[in-house]
Amino acid sequence: MFSLPLTLLLPLLALCPSISNARPSHPRHKDATTGVGSMMLTDMSRSDPFAKDGRPRSIMVSSFFPVSNCLQRTSIPYMPPGTGKFIDEKFGAYGLPNGTFREFTIEVCGKLSKHAQCPPGGWPLVLFSGALGTSRHLYNIMLQNVAARGYLVVSIDHPYDADIVEFTNGTIIHGVDIGSDAEIELALDARVSDIIFAQNQLRKRSVADKLFPGHLQNGRLPKVAVFGHSLGGAAAAAAMSKSTDLLGGANLDGTFFGPVVTDGLDRPFMLIGHENKTRETDPSWDAIWPHLHGWKKQYEVKETAHYSFSDLPFVAFASGIQDLLPVEVEGLLGRMNGERVMKLTTSYVVAFLDMFLKSEAEGAFQKLGKKFSEVVEVV
Ligand SMILES: *[C@@H]1O[C@H](CO)[C@@H](O)[C@H](O)[C@H]1NC(C)=O
Ligand SMILES: *[C@@H]1O[C@H](CO)[C@@H](O)[C@H](O)[C@H]1NC(C)=O
Ligand SMILES: *[C@@H]1O[C@H](CO)[C@@H](O)[C@H](O)[C@H]1NC(C)=O
């Protein structure tokens, strides 16, 4: 059994200051941890575009939030049982031992203190969308780490697009084949609607109280940003072009699709690519770049591959099997140590979010550049 050493990974915030009237300080607080939640959300205004039987679109979301004074920490399964079994079988093909995902645990706050509650307008909100055919649970650790730095985080599973979505009531929806341009467009549109729907649901007290107990009140949302991995990164950009509530976004290693490529964006946007994924090798990155009119940066991360920007390398590292995997797995997970790439990804994402959601200095990127020599800014 492995418990996530959150305190080793990142400095944590001790308090919940209001962003609007105070810049958060960043004291180290070794007892801090994160709370988590999950729930099903149903959009009665939209039928599911994949189910094709007129049923309303239902999604599953997870939440992660900072907890300053946790009364009791607890280890919970990394993913629900049906998902764990499915993912174990899927990654068994890459040489990961059966049970790696089913038995993996993460440490969370199991009992919140009443005094840990935040004032309205407390932490900013960040929405996350993962890769095509990839469960949202494969980003739980990354998103816990982002939350620990003072963010309310929501991750979204897009049913029929994700390889598996396990609903709270036990129903499992498996992914369908999405490959043609038309199918990708359909999936992208569904993702954008899911993202905007999830954001708006947080204005409902029943949803806010379940996902972020004590953090969101009176139907008001704090500042919001969105980021994603792979098709989720494309969805982040597309959602920003649909909703001006989304103040900034980041794309981790995803090819862009849809009108946003030529329409562009006027708010901050960051691109992070794996080794050799740049504007030179991805035409969609080259095409959107001149149309990004807000703050923008593009980074190439040496020694990484497409799934470096998920929990997979960290899970392999923490399970003690990263060095035992077949060499072909490098094409999926990259060569970098799983703990290091986890730190790298969360540090860059948090530096980006801090800059425009918490008015932190852009200088953080220079400091990170000294720490992570694998990262090359592509100008
Ligand atoms: C993995 O373990 C589960 C539970 O013991 C078992 O049902 C399943 O058949 C195993 N899968 C493989 C590929 O060995
Ligand atoms: C569980 O929830 C899903 C998604 O909303 C729904 O399609 C399904 O019918 C539900 N299953 C049961 C047994 O209620
Ligand atoms: C990236 O490109 C360089 C130069 O062409 C090459 O040596 C290297 O193997 C490539 N890396 C990957 C992961 O494809």
Side-chain angles (χ1 to χ4, degrees), residues 22 27 33 63 76 115 159 169 205 253 273 309 321 367 371:
T33 179
S63 61
I76 61 165
H115 306 293
N169 68 9
R205 188 166 193 141
D253 219 34
F309 309 105
I321 54 174
K367 282 190 204 135
K371 195 163 155 193

Side-chain angles (χ1 to χ4, degrees), residues 40 55 58 167 169 171:
M40 178 177 92
R55 80 174 74 163
S58 289
F167 285 88
N169 68 9
T171 294

Side-chain angles (χ1 to χ4, degrees), residues 33 77 98 127 171 217 266 280 292 298 305 325 348 359 361 365:
T33 179
N98 191 5
L127 308 168
T171 294
Q217 277 143 28
D266 56 2
E280 241 174 70
L292 295 176
Q298 186 205 328
L325 293 172
Y348 274 82
S359 310
F365 286 104

Side-chain angles (χ1 to χ4, degrees), residues 2 78-79 87-88 96 99-102 104-106 137-141 310-322 325 333 338-339 341-342:
F2 172 80
Y78 177 54
M79 26 178 75
I87 304 285
D88 268 336
L96 268 71
T100 300
F101 294 95
R102 270 200 319 279
F104 202 74
T105 60
I106 54 173
H137 294 293
L138 283 176
Y139 304 91
N140 286 346
I141 297 169
S310 72
D311 289 355
L312 284 172
F314 186 87
V315 171
F317 160 82
S319 305
I321 54 174
Q322 191 173 21
L325 293 172
L333 305 189
E339 190 177 36
V341 71
M342 175 60 72

